[in-house]
Amino acid sequence: MRVRIYELQPGDGGFVLDKSRMHCIIAVKEGKGSFKFLNSSREKLIRELFDAPSTTFVSGGTAPDGTHWDAVKTHPAWSVEAIEAIVGNQLYGFNLGATIEYDD
């Protein structure tokens, strides 16, 4: 698996990947990732996101007594689920986006 991280730019109908501004290529093999940074300005952030377990929102609501609750699922670092959650949800908040290339 390979993850390519780019900066986001405003485009038609939302933000799009600016493929001229790649920050990092991550190669994932056997549950471990290796980073190749082309722009080190976000290196610390990217390393922290991918090296840690990732959580995804599963459900939430309000109990009859008015208590609010959320349920999340935690994915181990470098699992396919964690990588998909980071690319699909978390990078956007840092004005970053990515593509995932799966191995055949």
Side-chain angles (χ1 to χ4, degrees), residues 17-104:
L17 299 177
D18 183 349
K19 295 206 173 177
S20 69
R21 299 186 70 179
M22 183 184 297
H23 282 268
C24 180
I25 300 170
I26 304 171
V28 182
K29 192 170 190 175
E30 298 176 7
K32 294 184 181 182
S34 61
F35 299 92
K36 178 181 177 185
F37 286 93
L38 299 139
N39 179 341
S40 62
S41 66
R42 306 265 183 106
E43 180 175 350
K44 182 177 186 244
L45 168 73
I46 292 169
R47 284 187 186 276
E48 288 175 352
L49 283 173
F50 284 90
D51 281 337
S54 178
T55 57
T56 54
F57 178 77
V58 178
S59 64
T62 305
D65 65 356
T67 305
H68 296 278
W69 60 275
D70 290 329
V72 296
K73 184 170 185 176
T74 302
H75 306 287
W78 299 111
S79 67
V80 173
E81 295 84 5
I83 293 167
E84 289 173 345
I86 293 166
V87 169
N89 300 314
Q90 296 175 354
L91 287 176
Y92 185 79
F94 300 102
N95 200 38
L96 297 171
T99 60
I100 300 174
E101 299 167 5
Y102 297 92
D103 296 332
D104 293 331

